[in-house]
Amino acid sequence: MAFKSRQYFAKRLSTLLLSVGMLWASACSLESDDSRNVIGERVEVITFTPDGNGDVSYYFDAQAGRIHRFDLSAGRLTDSFVVPQPDKEHRVFVPSSEAYVVDFVETQLTIFRSDQATVREDLNLPGTPISAAFDEATRTLVVYDDLSSIALVRLDEQGTIEQSWIGGPVFDPETLVRAGDFTSDGRLVLSFSNERIGVIDVNGSLESGSWQWQDQEPGIGLIDWVAPIQDQSDLVALHGESSLVIWDVSANTAITSTDLSEGTVTYLYKSEIPHFYYSESGTQKLFTIASDGSVNSTVVPLERLIKRSQISADQTRLTVGYTEVDGSLVVRQLRIQDGVTLYTDSFRSMDQNIYGFSQSFLLEIYPSGLGSLNIIDLATGNQKSIVNYNLPFFQ
Amino acid sequence: MKPSRYWPIPSSLFRLLVGLSVWLLAQNQGLGKVTFVGNGGNAVDYEITRSMDKIVDFLQIVQAGNSLPCECKESERDFDLCESLKKLNEPQRKQCESSLKQAAPELIRLIQSGQIEYRWSQDDLHVRERHQKAQERPVTAISQPDKNVMMIDQNRFVKLSTERKIALLSHELFHFVKAPDGQFYQDHQAYSAFSGPQGVRQLLNTLGARIALGAWRLEDFLGDRSKAYVHHFIAYRNTALSDPDSLTQNLLANDSRRYTEFQYRYYWGWHGMGVHWGSYDLDASSFVPGANTRLKTNNFGLTYHYRLFPFSPSLDEAWLSSQLHIDLSLGAFLSQGDYEIKDPYTSLRSDWNSRGWIAGANLMLPLYRGFWFIAGIDVRGEQYEIKELSIEDQHTSWGNTFGVSYGF
């Protein structure tokens, strides 16, 4: 019994130390989750379903060694998944349909279905997965690691891996992949270090085990951001060295171009409404790309650099996160039309907690072994708590 | 000649010191009351002096008019002394009590006056039975009331236990007392309810046993050692319970719980009933990382007790052999309390309810002035419920118990 207990607590202690380490790393300064230089979206310990109002959150709880699903509207834990290697750092990726929950730990990928069945696969990526994209129609998962390697994974409806292939970071001896994403109709568009883009033949690449692509040249220099545009299956937004181009990948031509040479693009975000922040002459501007491909800008009345950002589906509200001079985290919701603050809150204990927000909810998660989090409804300011949700998993 | 490092003590001073020591010793031990004749006095003299003091202490209680039946208590049933007392019929018992009461003042006077001369004999002593002229019977002492002399076989006397020494001397002292009929008690005569040919001998044996027993009850042998024959006991016990995995992994991180418990027990003879109130307060690290568990309970229980006295008692080691015992118990308990698990961010609190049975075997080791040391084992079966966690379970725990008790 005593030996068993020592093992048990050693394991739990290592989990605690790991989680404290993770939180410390992410909390000492607020890291941006911008989507520059990645394929798809960055994978993190917490994610919100991108459709609707983001009222579902998945979170890797290091204390319990599980991925939890929280219904933020109802204020309750609705599902939980046991992950392999719970003592290690995990990242979560969930497609908008929630058909699967994808867990990344080191080079291993675990796919959870809603019936708790799991599929595990060691992708043998050379690096650590940092981002992922998913095409619902073809059930194709693209995983991008910190060494610019790319995994193409084709799933069936049950989440079983039908095909997978690891593509190297180099397309040809002088060409590296820089960024990418799926178009809204499922074509994978990658940008290269040679200032060109490629529309990837995913099926052909999976079949042949080598990259098959159609080369295009937008002519805007090095492209570090590729974002799909909702409802416009032929269009993608490309951020080049000093401009933003709405590019038609079918017609191989630019639809619109926005000059950004007078200022600095700080952070770029995809979500449902692709947008980015642009500083020019001391003014911070928000650029949004509408579903019709039009680009609009408005001044954001904030001096601090915005590192986290969400736009409501109706494009009326902007929720941002930034750090104040004193190090505290500020979450603020603004009305885009006139910049009026609808909600604001400040958190000083950033070195302990994990924060995340969707379009509608702010989530404050404490490093509690028993489980404790606060949900703040950004529209009403109402607060709910979910507590002790980990307790049954330790019994 | 080298000078001596030691200064010679003047012989007059030496004699003075020795004389003073003897006088002081005599004052403390009552040597002046007893006259010894033998080989110039020896260490066994003290045994007689001490025994006589005990006899006088007891007889003074008799003289004061206390009712002192010639019988043993249930808790004294294993004493050798009780062999003769247990055989008495009702008339003999009454005769014993009557003779004791009647002779007590004279016995005290005899002892305190010092008129009896005690003579040590290094040779075996024998008496010739009146009805068996051809045979001699070895004896330890011979009394000659006409000469006020008691001859004692020193070799046999020193081998007797303390209670036997008292019983023997009491027996012999009665030979110096006249019965209500004006005659000295003589072994070979029948007397009243003791109607056999050795009736007086049987009576005096009984009286000797009764006096020895009374002396023991006067705590002279136990001193201020604790006594088992009192009825009331209160106890404080601390029990370390080793819990099964089902409990430690589901509710508590610790392998053991520690109970503190107060008991009151009432005994009649070997049987007893007890009530106990126990509390348990644990604040320890939890099975959930970073969390603490607190379980605070109050227990109330009823127990039946049975005492085992494992040793045949001896007055020489009466404090241990006659008092040390094992208390066996069996009972039931109810427990109520609070269960709380908490970390710096949240907590969960719930009522704790349990009930069960408890059995124990505890060694009761006598200390002083009514206090006892307790060591033993407990086993308890417990069925508990924590409503907030929707937990209902049962388990059996073993525990090591230590504690102290006070009997009165």
Side-chain angles (χ1 to χ4, degrees):
Chain A
M1 175 62 200
F3 176 68
K4 198 172 178 181
S5 295
R6 279 197 294 274
Q7 278 189 324
Y8 178 79
F9 282 108
K11 185 180 172 187
R12 289 301 167 205
L13 182 62
S14 65
T15 304
L16 187 64
L17 293 174
L18 172 68
S19 61
V20 169
M22 283 170 57
L23 295 177
W24 178 258
S26 64
C28 283
S29 63
L30 183 64
E31 291 181 359
S32 174
D33 62 346
D34 83 320
S35 49
R36 198 192 310 231
N37 294 320
V38 296
I39 297 173
E41 298 273 13
R42 289 185 184 276
V43 289
E44 298 187 270
V45 294
I46 183 170
T47 187
F48 297 84
T49 52
D51 59 341
N53 291 320
D55 59 359
V56 169
S57 177
Y58 289 84
Y59 162 61
F60 169 66
D61 189 317
Q63 272 77 25
R66 287 170 162 265
I67 293 173
H68 294 319
R69 180 186 188 273
F70 294 104
D71 183 330
L72 304 182
S73 297
R76 61 192 178 90
L77 177 75
T78 54
D79 216 343
S80 185
F81 307 91
V82 180
V83 299
Q85 305 181 70
D87 299 341
K88 294 185 175 169
E89 188 176 345
H90 287 248
R91 306 284 178 179
V92 188
F93 177 79
V94 182
S96 58
S97 65
E98 289 191 79
Y100 318 105
V101 176
V102 184
D103 165 53
F104 296 104
V105 55
E106 296 183 337
T107 62
Q108 192 177 55
L109 164 149
T110 304
I111 297 170
F112 299 98
R113 299 201 311 253
S114 57
D115 63 358
Q116 296 275 343
T118 61
V119 176
R120 286 185 185 141
E121 182 84 2
D122 195 340
L123 293 176
N124 291 317
L125 280 165
T128 303
I130 57 171
S131 73
F134 188 74
D135 176 51
E136 299 280 358
T138 59
R139 295 188 294 275
T140 303
L141 177 68
V142 180
V143 182
Y144 187 60
D145 76 7
D146 57 358
L147 298 178
S148 299
S149 305
I150 302 163
L152 298 178
V153 182
R154 176 66 52 80
L155 305 172
D156 66 9
E157 289 182 354
Q158 305 304 314
T160 306
I161 296 174
E162 289 182 334
Q163 283 180 294
S164 68
W165 173 68
I166 308 294
V170 181
F171 269 54
D172 63 45
E174 296 180 351
T175 307
L176 294 170
V177 174
R178 295 297 303 268
D181 213 327
F182 283 107
T183 62
S184 57
D185 67 348
R187 283 175 285 178
L188 180 61
V189 178
L190 301 179
S191 70
F192 303 134
S193 58
N194 60 6
E195 302 180 357
R196 303 170 76 88
I197 64 171
V199 180
I200 307 298
D201 176 359
V202 175
N203 289 335
S205 299
L206 276 170
E207 291 294 334
S208 64
S210 63
W211 290 114
Q212 307 292 317
W213 79 98
Q214 179 198 350
D215 193 50
Q216 298 182 0
E217 186 175 8
I220 55 171
L222 195 63
I223 297 166
D224 59 6
W225 189 68
V226 178
I229 297 173
Q230 209 172 23
D231 302 335
Q232 299 293 326
S233 59
D234 291 333
L235 302 185
V236 290
L238 305 175
H239 176 249
E241 289 177 354
S242 59
S243 65
L244 178 91
V245 164
I246 304 301
W247 183 260
D248 188 325
V249 293
S250 296
N252 194 9
T253 183
I255 304 299
T256 61
S257 177
T258 304
D259 179 29
L260 302 170
S261 60
E262 298 299 318
T264 305
V265 173
T266 53
Y267 294 111
L268 301 103
Y269 303 94
K270 292 178 182 175
S271 68
E272 286 183 78
I273 313 296
H275 61 284
F276 62 91
Y277 292 90
Y278 178 67
S279 291
E280 181 183 11
S281 305
T283 302
Q284 193 165 207
K285 286 183 178 177
L286 167 68
F287 280 77
T288 57
I289 301 163
S291 57
D292 61 357
S294 62
V295 178
N296 304 297
S297 72
T298 185
V299 173
V300 180
L302 294 173
E303 293 181 356
R304 307 295 301 170
L305 209 57
I306 293 168
K307 293 185 172 181
R308 300 266 172 160
S309 178
Q310 284 281 344
I311 292 181
S312 64
D314 60 6
Q315 298 191 55
T316 60
R317 288 172 288 118
L318 170 68
T319 310
V320 297
Y322 57 90
T323 49
E324 280 290 3
V325 179
D326 63 2
S328 60
L329 167 68
V330 176
V331 176
R332 187 182 290 260
Q333 189 171 75
L334 306 166
R335 192 159 61 202
I336 294 176
Q337 182 186 1
D338 51 15
V340 170
T341 298
L342 302 174
Y343 173 86
T344 187
D345 207 345
S346 175
F347 304 93
R348 297 189 64 83
S349 58
M350 290 175 59
D351 56 341
Q352 294 287 320
N353 308 338
I354 291 179
Y355 298 90
F357 56 80
S358 65
Q359 297 165 16
S360 302
F361 295 99
L362 167 63
L363 201 55
E364 182 182 24
I365 304 171
Y366 301 101
S368 166
L370 293 167
S372 177
L373 60 83
N374 287 329
I375 303 165
I376 299 161
D377 188 324
L378 294 173
T380 63
N382 291 339
Q383 186 168 316
K384 291 177 189 169
S385 294
I386 312 177
V387 296
N388 304 322
Y389 47 80
N390 282 338
L391 194 52
F393 306 126
F394 287 109
Q395 293 180 319
Chain B
M1 182 177 174
K2 291 181 180 178
S4 172
R5 290 168 53 197
Y6 305 101
W7 290 3
I9 299 174
S11 59
S12 56
L13 179 59
F14 179 78
R15 284 196 295 273
L16 179 64
L17 289 173
V18 171
L20 184 62
S21 301
V22 170
W23 181 79
L24 286 173
L25 196 61
Q27 290 301 308
N28 286 334
Q29 303 297 337
L31 281 176
K33 298 173 185 172
V34 180
T35 303
F36 298 99
V37 175
N39 301 325
N42 59 47
V44 190
D45 296 350
Y46 173 74
E47 291 291 327
I48 291 185
T49 304
R50 181 167 174 259
S51 301
M52 290 300 178
D53 283 347
K54 307 307 171 194
I55 293 169
V56 168
D57 288 346
F58 173 70
L59 291 174
Q60 283 174 338
I61 293 175
V62 177
Q63 190 180 26
N66 293 288
S67 175
L68 297 165
C70 286
E71 59 188 15
C72 286
K73 294 179 180 176
E74 185 72 7
S75 59
E76 299 159 346
R77 65 178 180 179
D78 293 333
F79 275 52
D80 291 344
L81 292 172
C82 292
E83 287 302 313
S84 58
L85 292 172
K86 282 191 289 191
K87 292 175 183 171
L88 299 181
N89 56 34
E90 190 58 28
Q92 289 174 326
R93 186 174 295 114
K94 286 183 177 173
Q95 181 62 56
C96 169
E97 290 162 16
S98 168
S99 296
L100 182 61
K101 201 163 188 175
Q102 178 265 326
E106 179 62 10
L107 288 169
I108 293 171
R109 192 195 63 77
L110 278 171
I111 295 169
Q112 291 185 332
S113 67
Q115 72 181 66
I116 299 174
E117 186 180 292
Y118 302 94
R119 292 183 183 175
W120 293 116
S121 170
Q122 302 302 320
D123 301 323
D124 295 342
L125 298 178
H126 296 86
V127 293
R128 182 162 296 165
E129 299 293 350
R130 175 169 293 188
H131 302 295
Q132 297 169 325
K133 292 180 181 175
Q135 292 186 2
E136 286 189 337
R137 178 169 62 87
V139 295
T140 306
I142 297 173
S143 293
Q144 298 171 311
D146 53 332
K147 298 177 182 174
N148 280 332
V149 171
M150 187 186 294
M151 294 285 293
I152 304 171
D153 182 338
Q154 182 171 309
N155 295 326
R156 288 170 67 107
F157 183 80
V158 295
K159 292 175 184 173
L160 296 176
S161 62
T162 303
E163 71 268 25
R164 283 295 170 201
K165 286 177 184 147
I166 292 177
L168 171 73
L169 292 173
S170 299
H171 177 119
E172 295 302 324
L173 282 170
F174 268 92
H175 287 305
F176 294 85
V177 175
K178 288 181 179 176
D181 61 3
Q183 301 297 313
F184 287 113
Y185 288 106
Q186 296 190 40
D187 283 346
H188 58 268
Q189 294 176 338
Y191 185 81
S192 185
F194 295 84
S195 55
Q198 298 283 327
V200 170
R201 188 175 169 205
Q202 185 188 358
L203 170 63
L204 299 193
N205 283 343
T206 302
L207 288 164
R210 180 63 187 86
I211 290 172
L213 187 66
W216 176 72
R217 286 183 189 167
L218 277 175
E219 308 174 16
D220 292 326
F221 294 91
L222 292 180
D224 55 0
R225 300 274 185 176
S226 301
K227 297 142 192 85
Y229 51 79
V230 295
H231 295 295
H232 307 274
F233 279 82
I234 54 175
Y236 168 81
R237 299 197 312 150
N238 197 303
T239 305
L241 284 174
S242 295
D243 290 319
D245 288 356
S246 62
L247 186 69
T248 57
Q249 290 184 358
N250 285 342
L251 299 174
L252 309 167
N254 282 26
D255 287 351
S256 65
R257 292 186 284 162
R258 192 165 287 279
Y259 269 105
T260 53
E261 188 175 82
F262 291 94
Q263 282 188 335
Y264 168 74
R265 286 177 252 148
Y266 179 80
Y267 289 100
W268 63 96
W270 282 259
H271 305 277
M273 286 299 292
V275 293
H276 69 260
W277 173 81
S279 71
Y280 170 58
D281 192 351
L282 171 77
D283 195 349
S285 59
S286 166
F287 60 95
V288 176
N292 265 36
T293 298
R294 182 166 193 188
L295 178 60
K296 190 173 183 180
T297 64
N298 290 312
N299 304 334
F300 176 78
L302 286 172
T303 43
Y304 164 76
H305 295 259
Y306 183 79
R307 299 195 290 185
L308 286 177
F309 289 81
F311 301 114
S312 179
S314 158
L315 287 185
D316 289 332
E317 296 292 338
W319 71 273
L320 183 66
S321 64
S322 67
Q323 308 302 302
L324 182 142
H325 59 275
I326 296 169
D327 181 90
L328 303 174
S329 61
L330 181 65
F333 69 90
L334 289 172
S335 173
Q336 281 191 321
D338 291 324
Y339 174 81
E340 185 180 26
I341 183 168
K342 61 183 177 181
D343 66 15
Y345 311 99
T346 183
S347 65
L348 178 75
R349 193 168 187 169
S350 175
D351 290 337
W352 162 287
N353 293 298
S354 71
R355 61 186 183 278
W357 54 268
I358 182 168
N362 288 273
L363 179 71
M364 299 286 290
L365 182 69
L367 301 175
Y368 291 91
R369 302 178 191 278
F371 287 96
W372 297 73
F373 174 74
I374 305 172
I377 55 170
D378 271 4
V379 57
R380 60 178 66 201
E382 189 171 17
Q383 186 172 8
Y384 63 90
E385 178 186 18
I386 303 177
K387 289 180 180 173
E388 293 294 326
L389 297 181
S390 301
I391 290 177
E392 278 190 58
D393 205 352
Q394 57 186 12
H395 66 271
T396 304
S397 302
W398 289 84
N400 301 315
T401 293
F402 294 95
V404 291
S405 178
Y406 178 72
F408 57 99

